[in-house]
PDB file of all heavy atoms in Angstrom:
ATOM      1  N   LEU A1739      12.434 -18.530  -8.547  1.00  0.00           N
ATOM      2  CA  LEU A1739      12.118 -19.709  -7.718  1.00  0.00           C
ATOM      3  C   LEU A1739      13.210 -20.796  -7.743  1.00  0.00           C
ATOM      4  O   LEU A1739      13.499 -21.290  -6.681  1.00  0.00           O
ATOM      5  CB  LEU A1739      10.769 -20.286  -8.189  1.00  0.00           C
ATOM      6  CG  LEU A1739      10.301 -21.546  -7.478  1.00  0.00           C
ATOM      7  CD1 LEU A1739      10.174 -21.333  -6.013  1.00  0.00           C
ATOM      8  CD2 LEU A1739       8.963 -22.004  -8.061  1.00  0.00           C
ATOM      9  N   PRO A1740      13.814 -21.143  -8.881  1.00  0.00           N
ATOM     10  CA  PRO A1740      14.846 -22.137  -8.846  1.00  0.00           C
ATOM     11  C   PRO A1740      16.038 -21.732  -7.899  1.00  0.00           C
ATOM     12  O   PRO A1740      16.506 -22.589  -7.110  1.00  0.00           O
ATOM     13  CB  PRO A1740      15.276 -22.259 -10.319  1.00  0.00           C
ATOM     14  CG  PRO A1740      14.109 -21.831 -11.080  1.00  0.00           C
ATOM     15  CD  PRO A1740      13.472 -20.757 -10.299  1.00  0.00           C
ATOM     16  N   GLU A1741      16.468 -20.508  -8.053  1.00  0.00           N
ATOM     17  CA  GLU A1741      17.583 -20.053  -7.198  1.00  0.00           C
ATOM     18  C   GLU A1741      17.186 -20.040  -5.743  1.00  0.00           C
ATOM     19  O   GLU A1741      17.934 -20.491  -4.865  1.00  0.00           O
ATOM     20  CB  GLU A1741      17.992 -18.605  -7.616  1.00  0.00           C
ATOM     21  CG  GLU A1741      19.013 -18.003  -6.726  1.00  0.00           C
ATOM     22  CD  GLU A1741      19.168 -16.513  -6.946  1.00  0.00           C
ATOM     23  OE1 GLU A1741      18.463 -15.950  -7.788  1.00  0.00           O
ATOM     24  OE2 GLU A1741      19.970 -15.883  -6.228  1.00  0.00           O
ATOM     25  N   ALA A1742      15.990 -19.540  -5.428  1.00  0.00           N
ATOM     26  CA  ALA A1742      15.527 -19.479  -4.065  1.00  0.00           C
ATOM     27  C   ALA A1742      15.346 -20.857  -3.444  1.00  0.00           C
ATOM     28  O   ALA A1742      15.732 -21.133  -2.327  1.00  0.00           O
ATOM     29  CB  ALA A1742      14.209 -18.745  -3.968  1.00  0.00           C
ATOM     30  N   ALA A1743      14.761 -21.781  -4.247  1.00  0.00           N
ATOM     31  CA  ALA A1743      14.575 -23.143  -3.755  1.00  0.00           C
ATOM     32  C   ALA A1743      15.880 -23.846  -3.469  1.00  0.00           C
ATOM     33  O   ALA A1743      16.026 -24.541  -2.436  1.00  0.00           O
ATOM     34  CB  ALA A1743      13.774 -23.942  -4.746  1.00  0.00           C
ATOM     35  N   GLN A1744      16.858 -23.659  -4.316  1.00  0.00           N
ATOM     36  CA  GLN A1744      18.179 -24.273  -4.140  1.00  0.00           C
ATOM     37  C   GLN A1744      18.845 -23.708  -2.874  1.00  0.00           C
ATOM     38  O   GLN A1744      19.418 -24.448  -2.054  1.00  0.00           O
ATOM     39  CB  GLN A1744      19.074 -24.090  -5.326  1.00  0.00           C
ATOM     40  CG  GLN A1744      20.428 -24.785  -5.227  1.00  0.00           C
ATOM     41  CD  GLN A1744      20.285 -26.291  -5.191  1.00  0.00           C
ATOM     42  OE1 GLN A1744      19.435 -26.869  -5.873  1.00  0.00           O
ATOM     43  NE2 GLN A1744      21.097 -26.904  -4.353  1.00  0.00           N
ATOM     44  N   THR A1745      18.799 -22.384  -2.732  1.00  0.00           N
ATOM     45  CA  THR A1745      19.393 -21.727  -1.585  1.00  0.00           C
ATOM     46  C   THR A1745      18.662 -22.157  -0.270  1.00  0.00           C
ATOM     47  O   THR A1745      19.390 -22.447   0.731  1.00  0.00           O
ATOM     48  CB  THR A1745      19.281 -20.191  -1.711  1.00  0.00           C
ATOM     49  OG1 THR A1745      19.925 -19.786  -2.924  1.00  0.00           O
ATOM     50  CG2 THR A1745      19.925 -19.489  -0.536  1.00  0.00           C
ATOM     51  N   VAL A1746      17.404 -22.206  -0.271  1.00  0.00           N
ATOM     52  CA  VAL A1746      16.645 -22.602   0.929  1.00  0.00           C
ATOM     53  C   VAL A1746      16.925 -24.030   1.263  1.00  0.00           C
ATOM     54  O   VAL A1746      17.105 -24.391   2.406  1.00  0.00           O
ATOM     55  CB  VAL A1746      15.143 -22.357   0.697  1.00  0.00           C
ATOM     56  CG1 VAL A1746      14.340 -23.059   1.789  1.00  0.00           C
ATOM     57  CG2 VAL A1746      14.827 -20.847   0.727  1.00  0.00           C
ATOM     58  N   SER A1747      16.980 -24.901   0.283  1.00  0.00           N
ATOM     59  CA  SER A1747      17.201 -26.346   0.498  1.00  0.00           C
ATOM     60  C   SER A1747      18.530 -26.588   1.176  1.00  0.00           C
ATOM     61  O   SER A1747      18.677 -27.333   2.120  1.00  0.00           O
ATOM     62  CB  SER A1747      17.092 -27.139  -0.798  1.00  0.00           C
ATOM     63  OG  SER A1747      17.402 -28.483  -0.593  1.00  0.00           O
ATOM     64  N   GLU A1748      19.579 -25.890   0.658  1.00  0.00           N
ATOM     65  CA  GLU A1748      20.845 -26.073   1.281  1.00  0.00           C
ATOM     66  C   GLU A1748      20.927 -25.516   2.717  1.00  0.00           C
ATOM     67  O   GLU A1748      21.585 -26.123   3.583  1.00  0.00           O
ATOM     68  CB  GLU A1748      21.917 -25.312   0.384  1.00  0.00           C
ATOM     69  CG  GLU A1748      22.093 -25.911  -1.002  1.00  0.00           C
ATOM     70  CD  GLU A1748      22.973 -25.091  -1.907  1.00  0.00           C
ATOM     71  OE1 GLU A1748      23.391 -24.001  -1.447  1.00  0.00           O
ATOM     72  OE2 GLU A1748      23.228 -25.554  -3.052  1.00  0.00           O
ATOM     73  N   ALA A1749      20.267 -24.371   2.942  1.00  0.00           N
ATOM     74  CA  ALA A1749      20.274 -23.803   4.256  1.00  0.00           C
ATOM     75  C   ALA A1749      19.575 -24.727   5.226  1.00  0.00           C
ATOM     76  O   ALA A1749      19.961 -24.943   6.374  1.00  0.00           O
ATOM     77  CB  ALA A1749      19.602 -22.422   4.248  1.00  0.00           C
ATOM     78  N   VAL A1750      18.447 -25.291   4.828  1.00  0.00           N
ATOM     79  CA  VAL A1750      17.676 -26.196   5.685  1.00  0.00           C
ATOM     80  C   VAL A1750      18.491 -27.448   6.043  1.00  0.00           C
ATOM     81  O   VAL A1750      18.483 -27.916   7.164  1.00  0.00           O
ATOM     82  CB  VAL A1750      16.352 -26.569   5.007  1.00  0.00           C
ATOM     83  CG1 VAL A1750      15.643 -27.707   5.765  1.00  0.00           C
ATOM     84  CG2 VAL A1750      15.418 -25.342   4.961  1.00  0.00           C
ATOM     85  N   GLU A1751      19.176 -27.997   5.027  1.00  0.00           N
ATOM     86  CA  GLU A1751      20.013 -29.194   5.315  1.00  0.00           C
ATOM     87  C   GLU A1751      21.091 -28.876   6.278  1.00  0.00           C
ATOM     88  O   GLU A1751      21.425 -29.710   7.157  1.00  0.00           O
ATOM     89  CB  GLU A1751      20.559 -29.743   3.986  1.00  0.00           C
ATOM     90  CG  GLU A1751      19.479 -30.330   3.043  1.00  0.00           C
ATOM     91  CD  GLU A1751      18.670 -31.443   3.749  1.00  0.00           C
ATOM     92  OE1 GLU A1751      19.266 -32.293   4.392  1.00  0.00           O
ATOM     93  OE2 GLU A1751      17.425 -31.454   3.628  1.00  0.00           O
ATOM     94  N   ARG A1752      21.727 -27.728   6.142  1.00  0.00           N
ATOM     95  CA  ARG A1752      22.808 -27.388   7.081  1.00  0.00           C
ATOM     96  C   ARG A1752      22.257 -27.246   8.501  1.00  0.00           C
ATOM     97  O   ARG A1752      22.886 -27.616   9.489  1.00  0.00           O
ATOM     98  CB  ARG A1752      23.498 -26.101   6.623  1.00  0.00           C
ATOM     99  CG  ARG A1752      24.442 -26.275   5.452  1.00  0.00           C
ATOM    100  CD  ARG A1752      25.289 -25.081   5.255  1.00  0.00           C
ATOM    101  NE  ARG A1752      24.514 -23.912   4.762  1.00  0.00           N
ATOM    102  CZ  ARG A1752      24.410 -23.596   3.476  1.00  0.00           C
ATOM    103  NH1 ARG A1752      25.029 -24.292   2.548  1.00  0.00           N
ATOM    104  NH2 ARG A1752      23.675 -22.548   3.171  1.00  0.00           N
ATOM    105  N   LEU A1753      21.074 -26.613   8.631  1.00  0.00           N
ATOM    106  CA  LEU A1753      20.474 -26.409   9.954  1.00  0.00           C
ATOM    107  C   LEU A1753      20.018 -27.784  10.521  1.00  0.00           C
ATOM    108  O   LEU A1753      20.042 -28.031  11.711  1.00  0.00           O
ATOM    109  CB  LEU A1753      19.340 -25.490   9.818  1.00  0.00           C
ATOM    110  CG  LEU A1753      19.675 -23.968   9.636  1.00  0.00           C
ATOM    111  CD1 LEU A1753      18.484 -23.164   9.245  1.00  0.00           C
ATOM    112  CD2 LEU A1753      20.402 -23.427  10.822  1.00  0.00           C
ATOM    113  N   ARG A1754      19.558 -28.642   9.679  1.00  0.00           N
ATOM    114  CA  ARG A1754      19.078 -29.970  10.098  1.00  0.00           C
ATOM    115  C   ARG A1754      20.258 -30.739  10.755  1.00  0.00           C
ATOM    116  O   ARG A1754      20.080 -31.482  11.711  1.00  0.00           O
ATOM    117  CB  ARG A1754      18.554 -30.731   8.896  1.00  0.00           C
ATOM    118  CG  ARG A1754      17.964 -32.127   9.294  1.00  0.00           C
ATOM    119  CD  ARG A1754      17.899 -33.041   8.067  1.00  0.00           C
ATOM    120  NE  ARG A1754      17.148 -32.457   7.002  1.00  0.00           N
ATOM    121  CZ  ARG A1754      15.818 -32.633   6.771  1.00  0.00           C
ATOM    122  NH1 ARG A1754      15.184 -33.393   7.621  1.00  0.00           N
ATOM    123  NH2 ARG A1754      15.251 -32.091   5.757  1.00  0.00           N
ATOM    124  N   SER A1755      21.488 -30.566  10.191  1.00  0.00           N
ATOM    125  CA  SER A1755      22.624 -31.292  10.680  1.00  0.00           C
ATOM    126  C   SER A1755      23.053 -30.924  12.102  1.00  0.00           C
ATOM    127  O   SER A1755      23.838 -31.669  12.694  1.00  0.00           O
ATOM    128  CB  SER A1755      23.774 -31.109   9.719  1.00  0.00           C
ATOM    129  OG  SER A1755      24.264 -29.770   9.724  1.00  0.00           O
ATOM    130  N   VAL A1756      22.562 -29.777  12.577  1.00  0.00           N
ATOM    131  CA  VAL A1756      22.981 -29.348  13.917  1.00  0.00           C
ATOM    132  C   VAL A1756      21.740 -29.356  14.887  1.00  0.00           C
ATOM    133  O   VAL A1756      21.751 -28.666  15.919  1.00  0.00           O
ATOM    134  CB  VAL A1756      23.633 -27.946  13.897  1.00  0.00           C
ATOM    135  CG1 VAL A1756      24.979 -27.994  13.313  1.00  0.00           C
ATOM    136  CG2 VAL A1756      22.715 -26.921  13.212  1.00  0.00           C
ATOM    137  N   GLY A1757      20.693 -30.081  14.507  1.00  0.00           N
ATOM    138  CA  GLY A1757      19.598 -30.297  15.431  1.00  0.00           C
ATOM    139  C   GLY A1757      18.382 -29.366  15.304  1.00  0.00           C
ATOM    140  O   GLY A1757      17.477 -29.535  16.143  1.00  0.00           O
ATOM    141  N   VAL A1758      18.370 -28.527  14.325  1.00  0.00           N
ATOM    142  CA  VAL A1758      17.177 -27.680  14.110  1.00  0.00           C
ATOM    143  C   VAL A1758      16.147 -28.477  13.328  1.00  0.00           C
ATOM    144  O   VAL A1758      16.440 -29.000  12.285  1.00  0.00           O
ATOM    145  CB  VAL A1758      17.583 -26.391  13.360  1.00  0.00           C
ATOM    146  CG1 VAL A1758      16.314 -25.492  13.163  1.00  0.00           C
ATOM    147  CG2 VAL A1758      18.609 -25.585  14.064  1.00  0.00           C
ATOM    148  N   THR A1759      14.954 -28.547  13.902  1.00  0.00           N
ATOM    149  CA  THR A1759      13.899 -29.336  13.248  1.00  0.00           C
ATOM    150  C   THR A1759      13.553 -28.728  11.907  1.00  0.00           C
ATOM    151  O   THR A1759      13.202 -27.541  11.799  1.00  0.00           O
ATOM    152  CB  THR A1759      12.632 -29.359  14.121  1.00  0.00           C
ATOM    153  OG1 THR A1759      12.945 -29.852  15.413  1.00  0.00           O
ATOM    154  CG2 THR A1759      11.551 -30.216  13.487  1.00  0.00           C
ATOM    155  N   PRO A1760      13.674 -29.502  10.853  1.00  0.00           N
ATOM    156  CA  PRO A1760      13.471 -28.879   9.513  1.00  0.00           C
ATOM    157  C   PRO A1760      11.963 -28.669   9.190  1.00  0.00           C
ATOM    158  O   PRO A1760      11.121 -29.339   9.787  1.00  0.00           O
ATOM    159  CB  PRO A1760      14.017 -29.985   8.592  1.00  0.00           C
ATOM    160  CG  PRO A1760      13.833 -31.256   9.306  1.00  0.00           C
ATOM    161  CD  PRO A1760      14.033 -30.915  10.798  1.00  0.00           C
ATOM    162  N   PRO A1761      11.660 -27.731   8.324  1.00  0.00           N
ATOM    163  CA  PRO A1761      10.226 -27.452   8.004  1.00  0.00           C
ATOM    164  C   PRO A1761       9.790 -28.355   6.839  1.00  0.00           C
ATOM    165  O   PRO A1761      10.582 -28.949   6.136  1.00  0.00           O
ATOM    166  CB  PRO A1761      10.286 -25.991   7.618  1.00  0.00           C
ATOM    167  CG  PRO A1761      11.621 -25.886   6.923  1.00  0.00           C
ATOM    168  CD  PRO A1761      12.551 -26.823   7.633  1.00  0.00           C
ATOM    169  N   GLU A1762       8.458 -28.375   6.666  1.00  0.00           N
ATOM    170  CA  GLU A1762       7.939 -29.033   5.475  1.00  0.00           C
ATOM    171  C   GLU A1762       7.864 -28.046   4.343  1.00  0.00           C
ATOM    172  O   GLU A1762       8.054 -28.444   3.178  1.00  0.00           O
ATOM    173  CB  GLU A1762       6.526 -29.542   5.815  1.00  0.00           C
ATOM    174  CG  GLU A1762       6.457 -30.630   6.845  1.00  0.00           C
ATOM    175  CD  GLU A1762       5.069 -31.050   7.220  1.00  0.00           C
ATOM    176  OE1 GLU A1762       4.093 -30.395   6.714  1.00  0.00           O
ATOM    177  OE2 GLU A1762       4.858 -32.034   7.979  1.00  0.00           O
ATOM    178  N   VAL A1763       7.653 -26.780   4.665  1.00  0.00           N
ATOM    179  CA  VAL A1763       7.475 -25.731   3.643  1.00  0.00           C
ATOM    180  C   VAL A1763       8.211 -24.509   4.062  1.00  0.00           C
ATOM    181  O   VAL A1763       8.205 -24.139   5.274  1.00  0.00           O
ATOM    182  CB  VAL A1763       5.981 -25.420   3.383  1.00  0.00           C
ATOM    183  CG1 VAL A1763       5.843 -24.308   2.394  1.00  0.00           C
ATOM    184  CG2 VAL A1763       5.222 -26.586   2.969  1.00  0.00           C
TER     185      VAL A1763
END
Side-chain angles (χ1 to χ4, degrees):
L1739 178 57
E1741 174 194 0
Q1744 185 63 40
T1745 301
V1746 166
S1747 175
E1748 293 173 358
V1750 169
E1751 291 304 316
R1752 285 193 291 264
L1753 290 169
R1754 184 200 303 267
S1755 67
V1756 288
V1758 180
T1759 304
E1762 296 176 352
V1763 178

